[in-house]
Amino acid sequence: QLWWEVREWFATEAVSIPFCVPLIRELKAPTYSYDNRGAIKVEGKKEMKKRLKMSPDYADALCLTFAAEEGRYFGKFSWSKPLVNMDLRVFE
């Protein structure tokens, strides 16, 4: 799913990445197909590794940046409210 999200990110956003030949090569490498329910299935890392004779580590690292939990940014602090009664010495 993460690999597909990265693909969509490139297709729908104005994306700029470093000129890193291994990263670009790895991002272009995965194949995809449709399963019997019509869902998209991206080639797994094991299969890519076997086919490419190397691990797509650079691209995998980029894909993992898309792996944030939905609730990750919601906690006891809210960015929409001012911080009150906070000890500012922790930032010194």
Side-chain angles (χ1 to χ4, degrees):
Q1 180 178 345
L2 297 176
W3 282 79
W4 193 259
E5 287 180 27
V6 170
R7 181 186 185 276
E8 288 181 333
W9 179 60
F10 276 106
T12 60
E13 302 288 333
V15 176
S16 178
I17 61 171
F19 183 73
C20 176
V21 174
L23 171 61
I24 295 166
R25 186 180 306 125
E26 292 172 12
L27 286 169
K28 293 175 14 178
T31 60
Y32 68 92
S33 59
Y34 295 93
D35 67 10
N36 57 3
R37 297 172 292 142
I40 297 165
K41 179 170 177 21
V42 178
E43 179 182 24
K45 187 173 177 182
K46 270 187 188 178
E47 291 82 18
M48 264 191 277
K49 197 173 174 179
K50 185 175 180 181
R51 184 171 54 82
L52 299 173
K53 308 284 191 257
M54 59 178 262
S55 182
D57 293 332
Y58 291 106
D60 200 36
L62 174 63
C63 292
L64 287 174
T65 66
F66 284 72
E69 294 178 32
E70 190 174 312
R72 179 179 183 176
Y73 302 105
F74 303 104
K76 70 179 194 177
F77 299 108
S78 171
W79 294 106
S80 62
K81 297 178 187 174
L83 297 173
V84 291
N85 298 329
M86 184 175 180
D87 183 1
L88 296 178
R89 289 176 292 168
V90 295
F91 295 110
E92 293 177 351

